[in-house]
Amino acid sequence: MSRLVIVSNRVALPGEGAQRSGGLVTALVDALHQAGGLWFGSSGKLAETPSAPNVLEADGVTYATVDLTRADHDGYYSGLSNAALWPLFHYRLDLVNFTRRDFAAYLRVNARLADTLAPLLKPNDVVWVHDYHLIPMADELRRVGARQRIGFFLHTPFPSLGVLATLPHYIELLKSLCAYDLVGFQTIEDLTAFHDAVVRRAGGKVSADGSIRAFDRDLRSGVFPIGVDPDAIANMAARAVKSRTTRRLQGSLRGRQLIIGVDRLDYSKGLEHRFKAFASFLESYPVQRDHVRLLQIATATRSDVPEYRALRQRLGALAGDIAGRYAQLDWAPIQYLNRSFSQQSLAGFFRISRVALVTPLRDGMNLVAKEYVAAQSPEDPGVLVLSPFAGAAYELDAALIANPYDPDAVAEALQKALLMPTEERRQRWQAMMQILRRHSITAWRESFLRVLNG
Ligand code: ADQ
């Protein structure tokens, strides 16, 4: 069996994975433990000069990390990746901040990472590269002679051509994607957008089975929706409801219904729209005041990108406005926390919540939606209110689908969720649970690697 080499922007070292936020990390820790192999990427630490890789072995897995210089980190990570590609891939052209300098840093860092990784590779390795930070990695590995099979999975959406083409050098990115042996996406919409760009702007040919001929290369492409381990989450949730943390939250509700949101603090997650929709719900259904509480957990990320700091301020103000307007002496409508919790605590919070609001404006998949469903009690499950712009909506159509750009629609869905009879909640939950089991995290990993190896 070939050794698996995973390449991602950040490597979660043993012990830190499970606690960290970020769907990529959570998904990969699981994958590597089962398959063994090498995990390569940046350490997240800064150094004066580019470092040799730090190598660590644990439980049959080798971890190799590289420190970046401040200039490389700023241009590659905070710059091109998170201030240009991230907003672009999430259809936020207004927030794209592209500079040639950042693009040069992006290419430079990818080249440097490839130079460092190449000597660590064995001839039969299969290399799996993750996400938008590392699109040029296959090209760069091929440049230094790597002949291994190399696959790429994009965790974010892939934008339609009209949006993609606003990025200077987008043809170079398309060419880089075609240097892989397999390119995988979360949904059919992402895959179709990629095919469309390859055909219309690169003169490529796409076959019905996802095979592509473009830039003088043959590659494959496909949809591989990322999943969770539903039974593990269900067990964790059943245990967590007895924990002190969950009991404390439950006790504080005094019989009120809990509505939960859990997200990284990111403009793609639609938190401002969500808060406004919640205010509209309190306005439209005054009888619900004093009977519900919205618990929004939003962990700050990417604080070195100015837009994220500005968003945090706006959200704090909005939460304050809602509380100021509707709270009573013994009831607060909203509880807003900028901290992260362990997966175990979240599972417990999910299980005691009657409704989850997962209303991103765009999201590659959104694992919170799946984790929430998996954490429910089979006898008395809660209701998922889900944006059609999350990749998860392509599978979880038994959720209440609500357009986050229409606050009244979200308010209505919330009211419907709170009033939904047990039998309907069970039916919807069972339908979703079946899909979660079929498209589990294991199925995701295995199906991607099967096609890459095939
Ligand atoms: P993210 O944008 O990070 O991931 P998401 O899929 O929601 O988004 O994953 C978040 C993960 O981090 C989940 O496991 C969640 O439980 C955890 N998490 C989120 N907020 C947290 C908090 N406040 N405290 C603790 N844990 C928290 C990217 C893409 C997604 C895609 C994933 C995986 O943007 O669309 O689903 O990768 O492919």
Side-chain angles (χ1 to χ4, degrees):
M1 199 177 125
S2 307
R3 184 175 73 146
L4 177 62
V5 176
I6 285 180
V7 187
S8 64
N9 169 59
R10 275 296 306 277
V11 174
L13 295 173
E16 46 173 76
Q19 297 294 321
R20 289 247 310 272
S21 66
L24 179 58
V25 170
T26 314
L28 293 186
V29 167
D30 235 30
L32 258 189
H33 271 138
Q34 292 179 36
L38 168 66
W39 192 352
F40 177 82
S42 85
S43 64
K45 294 194 207 108
L46 297 181
E48 290 289 320
T49 52
S51 73
N54 319 300
V55 181
L56 178 82
E57 309 261 346
D59 296 337
V61 178
T62 308
Y63 298 83
T65 56
V66 176
D67 303 341
L68 297 180
T69 64
R70 161 65 64 191
D72 281 352
H73 173 270
D74 288 354
Y76 147 83
Y77 181 74
S78 306
L80 199 90
S81 296
N82 285 332
L85 294 182
W86 177 271
L88 183 87
F89 284 11
H90 290 86
Y91 289 76
R92 290 300 301 271
L93 291 180
D94 55 322
L95 300 180
V96 172
N97 189 355
F98 173 89
T99 66
R100 290 182 179 185
R101 199 171 133 148
D102 288 349
F103 191 69
Y106 181 73
L107 296 181
R108 183 173 74 236
V109 170
N110 270 273
R112 189 169 293 155
L113 291 173
D115 288 343
T116 313
L117 173 60
L120 304 177
L121 293 180
K122 299 178 182 167
N124 288 330
D125 283 350
V126 168
V127 183
W128 188 1
V129 179
H130 290 261
D131 236 2
Y132 59 99
H133 317 83
L134 298 171
I135 291 172
M137 184 54 63
D139 241 349
E140 295 297 345
L141 283 171
R142 305 251 184 253
R143 174 183 55 78
V144 290
R147 303 174 62 90
Q148 288 82 356
R149 300 201 138 257
I150 312 178
F152 177 82
F153 184 77
L154 184 66
H155 291 257
T156 67
F158 190 84
S160 59
L161 184 51
V163 171
L164 178 72
T166 61
L167 183 78
H169 307 287
Y170 76 97
I171 297 279
E172 280 173 66
L173 288 191
L174 279 180
K175 183 164 185 278
S176 293
L177 284 168
C178 291
Y180 287 91
D181 296 300
L182 170 64
V183 182
F185 298 92
Q186 302 271 26
T187 69
I188 185 71
E189 186 179 331
D190 304 315
L191 178 70
T192 310
F194 175 62
H195 287 169
D196 189 40
V198 165
V199 170
R200 289 169 61 197
R201 295 299 167 90
K205 293 214 164 17
V206 177
S207 310
D209 67 354
S211 310
I212 297 174
R213 169 109 199 129
F215 299 102
D216 289 328
R217 286 199 81 256
D218 291 301
L219 65 145
R220 306 188 67 180
S221 61
V223 176
F224 303 89
I226 196 167
V228 295
D229 183 341
D231 295 311
I233 293 173
N235 289 335
M236 194 159 50
R239 278 198 310 274
V241 277
K242 298 180 203 127
S243 72
R244 214 169 63 89
T245 320
T246 308
R247 286 211 318 257
R248 191 168 147 208
L249 176 60
Q250 177 98 65
S252 76
L253 291 169
R254 296 171 191 274
R256 297 181 179 104
Q257 307 267 39
L258 188 60
I259 301 163
I260 193 165
V262 175
D263 306 80
R264 283 189 303 101
L265 207 160
D266 192 296
Y267 47 78
S268 66
K269 305 293 181 186
L271 294 168
E272 285 173 284
H273 291 69
R274 189 178 304 166
F275 282 4
K276 287 176 187 161
F278 182 62
S280 146
F281 164 79
L282 294 173
E283 207 46 55
S284 304
Y285 305 99
V287 291
Q288 292 286 15
R289 294 182 202 167
D290 197 21
H291 296 294
V292 297
R293 183 201 295 168
L294 171 61
L295 167 61
Q296 177 63 57
I297 298 171
T299 317
T301 50
R302 304 178 193 170
S303 311
D304 45 355
V305 180
E307 183 56 37
Y308 286 76
R309 292 199 298 272
L311 174 66
R312 185 171 178 171
Q313 293 218 323
R314 292 200 302 276
L315 281 171
L318 258 175
D321 282 352
I322 295 172
R325 187 143 166 206
Y326 297 102
Q328 292 157 18
L329 286 176
D330 54 357
W331 171 67
I334 187 166
Q335 192 176 14
Y336 174 54
L337 280 76
N338 291 135
R339 54 163 290 195
S340 78
F341 288 90
S342 68
Q343 294 288 304
Q344 160 103 10
S345 296
L346 287 182
F349 302 167
F350 287 149
R351 196 168 177 110
I352 64 166
S353 299
R354 172 47 55 88
V355 187
L357 275 181
V358 180
T359 52
L361 304 179
R362 280 277 160 185
D363 218 330
M365 175 55 64
N366 195 301
L367 290 177
V368 170
K370 295 188 168 182
E371 290 163 358
Y372 174 76
V373 171
Q376 296 310 298
S377 126
E379 293 77 39
D380 189 24
V383 181
L384 173 64
V385 173
L386 181 61
S387 158
F389 310 117
Y394 284 75
E395 299 163 86
L396 303 182
D397 54 2
L400 289 183
I401 305 292
N403 183 343
Y405 292 98
D406 181 352
D408 296 326
V410 176
E412 263 169 37
L414 202 43
Q415 173 71 349
K416 184 171 173 190
L418 290 163
L419 299 180
M420 191 180 286
T422 317
E423 195 42 43
E424 183 179 349
R425 283 191 276 122
R426 281 191 198 141
Q427 279 169 10
R428 287 175 181 269
W429 175 80
Q430 279 160 6
M432 292 192 278
M433 217 35 198
Q434 248 183 21
I435 290 166
L436 293 192
R437 291 204 172 101
R438 201 178 318 135
H439 295 175
S440 67
I441 185 73
T442 313
W444 170 73
R445 185 188 70 238
E446 287 177 351
S447 59
F448 186 93
L449 291 175
R450 198 177 313 118
V451 180
L452 181 57
N453 280 310

